[in-house]
mmCIF file of all heavy atoms in Angstrom:
data_model
loop_
_atom_site.group_PDB
_atom_site.id
_atom_site.type_symbol
_atom_site.label_atom_id
_atom_site.label_comp_id
_atom_site.label_asym_id
_atom_site.label_seq_id
_atom_site.Cartn_x
_atom_site.Cartn_y
_atom_site.Cartn_z
ATOM 1 N N LEU K 33 -34.598 -28.331 35.400
ATOM 2 C CA LEU K 33 -34.745 -26.969 35.919
ATOM 3 C C LEU K 33 -34.207 -27.030 37.385
ATOM 4 O O LEU K 33 -34.358 -28.079 38.049
ATOM 5 C CB LEU K 33 -36.213 -26.486 35.811
ATOM 6 C CG LEU K 33 -36.809 -26.262 34.428
ATOM 7 C CD1 LEU K 33 -38.232 -25.817 34.596
ATOM 8 C CD2 LEU K 33 -35.926 -25.337 33.766
ATOM 9 N N PRO K 34 -33.854 -25.836 37.876
ATOM 10 C CA PRO K 34 -33.471 -25.759 39.316
ATOM 11 C C PRO K 34 -34.618 -25.721 40.262
ATOM 12 O O PRO K 34 -34.516 -25.890 41.486
ATOM 13 C CB PRO K 34 -32.785 -24.385 39.207
ATOM 14 C CG PRO K 34 -33.342 -23.513 38.161
ATOM 15 C CD PRO K 34 -33.737 -24.515 37.136
ATOM 16 N N ALA K 35 -35.853 -25.913 39.810
ATOM 17 C CA ALA K 35 -37.070 -25.952 40.614
ATOM 18 C C ALA K 35 -38.096 -26.491 39.840
ATOM 19 O O ALA K 35 -38.284 -26.417 38.724
ATOM 20 C CB ALA K 35 -37.603 -24.585 41.088
ATOM 21 N N ARG K 36 -39.097 -27.284 40.584
ATOM 22 C CA ARG K 36 -40.200 -27.862 40.006
ATOM 23 C C ARG K 36 -41.350 -26.901 39.935
ATOM 24 O O ARG K 36 -41.397 -26.004 40.847
ATOM 25 C CB ARG K 36 -40.722 -29.128 40.704
ATOM 26 C CG ARG K 36 -39.670 -30.228 40.903
ATOM 27 C CD ARG K 36 -39.820 -31.450 40.155
ATOM 28 N NE ARG K 36 -40.943 -31.955 39.564
ATOM 29 C CZ ARG K 36 -40.900 -32.601 38.438
ATOM 30 N NH1 ARG K 36 -39.759 -33.049 37.857
ATOM 31 N NH2 ARG K 36 -42.049 -33.039 37.875
ATOM 32 N N VAL K 37 -42.095 -26.896 38.818
ATOM 33 C CA VAL K 37 -43.143 -25.867 38.825
ATOM 34 C C VAL K 37 -44.406 -26.539 39.424
ATOM 35 O O VAL K 37 -44.787 -27.554 39.269
ATOM 36 C CB VAL K 37 -43.492 -25.504 37.367
ATOM 37 C CG1 VAL K 37 -44.699 -24.752 37.147
ATOM 38 C CG2 VAL K 37 -42.331 -24.816 36.754
ATOM 39 N N HIS K 38 -45.069 -25.648 40.304
ATOM 40 C CA HIS K 38 -46.373 -26.032 40.906
ATOM 41 C C HIS K 38 -47.409 -25.059 40.355
ATOM 42 O O HIS K 38 -47.326 -23.878 40.499
ATOM 43 C CB HIS K 38 -46.355 -25.997 42.311
ATOM 44 C CG HIS K 38 -47.679 -26.308 42.986
ATOM 45 N ND1 HIS K 38 -48.427 -27.341 42.673
ATOM 46 C CD2 HIS K 38 -48.397 -25.485 43.950
ATOM 47 C CE1 HIS K 38 -49.550 -27.363 43.438
ATOM 48 N NE2 HIS K 38 -49.640 -26.305 44.078
ATOM 49 N N MET K 39 -48.338 -25.573 39.592
ATOM 50 C CA MET K 39 -49.474 -24.807 38.957
ATOM 51 C C MET K 39 -50.526 -24.526 40.127
ATOM 52 O O MET K 39 -51.510 -25.408 40.154
ATOM 53 C CB MET K 39 -50.076 -25.491 37.792
ATOM 54 C CG MET K 39 -48.916 -25.611 36.701
ATOM 55 S SD MET K 39 -49.521 -26.629 35.192
ATOM 56 C CE MET K 39 -50.804 -25.522 34.527
ATOM 57 N N ALA K 40 -50.347 -23.617 40.951
ATOM 58 C CA ALA K 40 -51.044 -23.545 42.215
ATOM 59 C C ALA K 40 -52.504 -22.998 41.858
ATOM 60 O O ALA K 40 -53.400 -23.689 42.480
ATOM 61 C CB ALA K 40 -50.303 -22.504 43.195
ATOM 62 N N ALA K 41 -52.706 -22.020 41.084
ATOM 63 C CA ALA K 41 -54.093 -21.432 41.033
ATOM 64 C C ALA K 41 -54.276 -20.499 39.638
ATOM 65 O O ALA K 41 -53.388 -19.934 39.313
ATOM 66 C CB ALA K 41 -54.291 -20.560 42.211
ATOM 67 N N LEU K 42 -55.469 -20.776 39.092
ATOM 68 C CA LEU K 42 -55.766 -20.019 38.042
ATOM 69 C C LEU K 42 -56.853 -18.989 38.405
ATOM 70 O O LEU K 42 -57.704 -19.308 39.269
ATOM 71 C CB LEU K 42 -56.557 -20.936 36.975
ATOM 72 C CG LEU K 42 -57.026 -20.409 35.760
ATOM 73 C CD1 LEU K 42 -56.856 -21.465 34.578
ATOM 74 C CD2 LEU K 42 -58.621 -20.122 35.995
ATOM 75 N N CYS K 43 -56.858 -17.734 37.897
ATOM 76 C CA CYS K 43 -57.805 -16.707 38.275
ATOM 77 C C CYS K 43 -58.524 -16.304 37.017
ATOM 78 O O CYS K 43 -57.998 -15.992 36.082
ATOM 79 C CB CYS K 43 -56.925 -15.581 38.882
ATOM 80 S SG CYS K 43 -58.104 -14.130 39.325
ATOM 81 N N GLY K 44 -59.915 -16.265 37.179
ATOM 82 C CA GLY K 44 -60.816 -15.760 36.106
ATOM 83 C C GLY K 44 -62.003 -15.008 36.777
ATOM 84 O O GLY K 44 -62.354 -15.355 37.897
ATOM 85 N N ARG K 45 -62.555 -14.091 35.952
ATOM 86 C CA ARG K 45 -63.526 -13.184 36.534
ATOM 87 C C ARG K 45 -64.837 -14.083 36.940
ATOM 88 O O ARG K 45 -65.475 -13.729 38.004
ATOM 89 C CB ARG K 45 -63.992 -12.110 35.535
ATOM 90 C CG ARG K 45 -63.039 -10.923 35.457
ATOM 91 C CD ARG K 45 -63.287 -10.022 34.472
ATOM 92 N NE ARG K 45 -63.295 -10.679 33.141
ATOM 93 C CZ ARG K 45 -63.399 -10.022 31.968
ATOM 94 N NH1 ARG K 45 -63.485 -8.634 31.931
ATOM 95 N NH2 ARG K 45 -63.294 -10.638 30.858
ATOM 96 N N ASP K 46 -65.021 -15.049 36.232
ATOM 97 C CA ASP K 46 -66.308 -15.914 36.472
ATOM 98 C C ASP K 46 -65.847 -17.067 37.271
ATOM 99 O O ASP K 46 -65.168 -17.956 36.705
ATOM 100 C CB ASP K 46 -67.024 -16.246 35.122
ATOM 101 C CG ASP K 46 -68.249 -17.123 35.354
ATOM 102 O OD1 ASP K 46 -68.014 -18.207 35.861
ATOM 103 O OD2 ASP K 46 -69.347 -16.721 35.175
#
Side-chain angles (χ1 to χ4, degrees):
L33 292 183
R36 304 248 351 145
V37 168
H38 174 54
M39 298 170 69
L42 172 151
C43 177
R45 278 174 301 191
D46 178 295

